[in-house]
Amino acid sequence: TSTLNFRTGPSEEYDVLYTFAKNTELQVIAEANNGWLVVRHNGTIGYVHSGYTQSMLARAQDLYPELDLNEINPQMVVYTTSGLNIRCGNSTEFESLGLLEKYETLRVLGEYDDWYFVMTNDYNFGFVNKNYTQVLKDRYVIVDKSEQRLYLYNNNDLLYVTPVTTGKDATPSDTGLFKILNKNRNVTLTDNETYWSPVDYWMRYNGGEGLHDANWRSVFGTESYHYAGSHGCINIPPAITDEIYENVEVGTKVLVHK
């Protein structure tokens, strides 16, 4: 719920591995002493204090006590195939909580007739009609342009999440469902006129758009992408780009949405 130090042990005397931004998702493995949690993030295990976190399970239980939820266990990840209302119950008689755009992704927590009970990427909950969604399978990448984040999944398991910088308003990153067309090391990206950018890791998925490291950026995941974003590519922090590169293959799906 705020910036939060990720430490090597369960007290402020332990070293800080790094600092999480607000709204970073953490997988809780166990509870330690005095309010500390053992968590996993991007494959690393460490400790955070629970006083600066919010339980997604507790939030869902407060919103939907009638579902008698006792765990948050995503069954699958789906994306919307058209504009779609997310509702507070499993029929069109229930109030709409908002309109989802095409290609938005959702984590399915349960099925109720023709409806999924879902969690959105911004950790809201509701119901959507499953007939207007499509399941994402195997290994895939999701880029959320509104959040400026990249997620790498293997089926319903979230392997990595990282802030990114997408295309600026003048040259936005295309939305849609794509796949990795080729991946290469040590490539120079250029339009032969306005820029010349050498990168260590290149994963092309749509024409000239691709995932790559951007060592010329010091900040990722902020609203500055509107005016200082890329030419359409997805810029990834260099510290994690090698992990993304090693965990995708030619043919890996890439879904980019607003």
Side-chain angles (χ1 to χ4, degrees):
T1 56
S2 67
T3 56
L4 179 60
N5 287 324
F6 187 43
R7 296 182 181 273
T8 58
S11 84
E12 294 181 357
E13 296 177 357
Y14 287 89
D15 292 338
V16 175
L17 294 167
Y18 41 88
T19 300
F20 294 126
K22 183 179 179 180
N23 292 331
T24 300
E25 181 175 332
L26 306 171
Q27 179 187 356
V28 178
I29 299 173
E31 294 186 27
N33 296 325
N34 301 322
W36 289 81
L37 302 174
V38 186
V39 300
R40 178 185 288 115
H41 180 75
N42 287 350
T44 301
I45 294 175
Y47 295 79
V48 298
H49 197 280
S50 62
Y52 304 93
T53 68
Q54 180 179 35
S55 164
M56 290 183 284
L57 174 59
R59 184 174 181 182
Q61 289 171 330
D62 288 342
L63 291 170
Y64 296 95
E66 69 277 10
L67 297 182
D68 196 27
L69 300 169
N70 54 32
E71 64 177 346
I72 292 291
N73 183 25
Q75 300 172 5
M76 66 189 82
V77 178
V78 300
Y79 67 92
T80 57
T81 55
S82 67
L84 179 61
N85 283 298
I86 181 169
R87 299 183 180 274
C88 58
N90 61 326
S91 83
T92 55
E93 296 179 358
F94 285 91
E95 179 185 359
S96 172
L97 300 172
L99 183 65
L100 303 172
E101 296 191 20
K102 186 178 181 180
Y103 296 120
E104 287 197 51
T105 56
L106 306 160
R107 276 180 277 182
V108 175
L109 307 178
E111 296 188 45
Y112 299 85
D113 300 322
D114 288 334
W115 295 74
Y116 288 135
F117 177 57
V118 299
M119 179 171 65
T120 67
N121 275 351
D122 55 357
Y123 310 121
N124 289 312
F125 299 87
F127 293 81
V128 296
N129 191 308
K130 64 174 66 172
N131 295 314
Y132 300 95
T133 67
Q134 184 67 44
V135 178
L136 284 166
K137 297 180 180 179
D138 304 317
R139 191 156 295 201
Y140 51 90
V141 172
I142 295 171
V143 177
D144 187 321
K145 296 200 294 183
S146 298
E147 288 188 345
Q148 291 291 287
R149 288 190 183 178
L150 178 150
Y151 302 82
L152 174 58
Y153 283 90
N154 185 42
N155 289 310
N156 64 332
D157 294 326
L158 178 58
L159 302 181
Y160 295 96
V161 58
T162 179
V164 294
T165 297
T166 63
K168 58 180 175 283
D169 290 352
T171 54
S173 303
D174 291 340
T175 59
L177 182 63
F178 311 101
K179 62 182 179 181
I180 299 292
L181 300 172
N182 58 272
K183 48 183 287 194
N184 300 98
R185 292 292 314 277
N186 303 318
V187 173
T188 297
L189 307 178
T190 180
D191 65 355
N192 295 317
E193 294 181 2
T194 59
Y195 69 92
W196 185 275
S197 303
V199 300
D200 293 332
Y201 300 93
W202 169 241
M203 296 155 274
R204 185 173 71 91
Y205 64 81
N206 174 39
E209 294 182 350
L211 315 173
H212 65 79
D213 52 304
N215 60 16
W216 55 89
R217 293 190 184 277
S218 59
V219 177
F220 297 82
T222 70
E223 291 294 311
S224 64
Y225 80 94
H226 287 293
Y227 56 87
S230 72
H231 292 83
C233 287
I234 311 303
N235 292 180
I236 307 173
I240 199 172
T241 313
D242 59 337
E243 298 287 352
I244 304 299
Y245 185 87
E246 293 300 326
N247 280 279
V248 302
E249 300 293 342
V250 171
T252 296
K253 287 184 172 62
V254 178
L255 190 147
V256 183
H257 68 83
K258 292 184 179 178

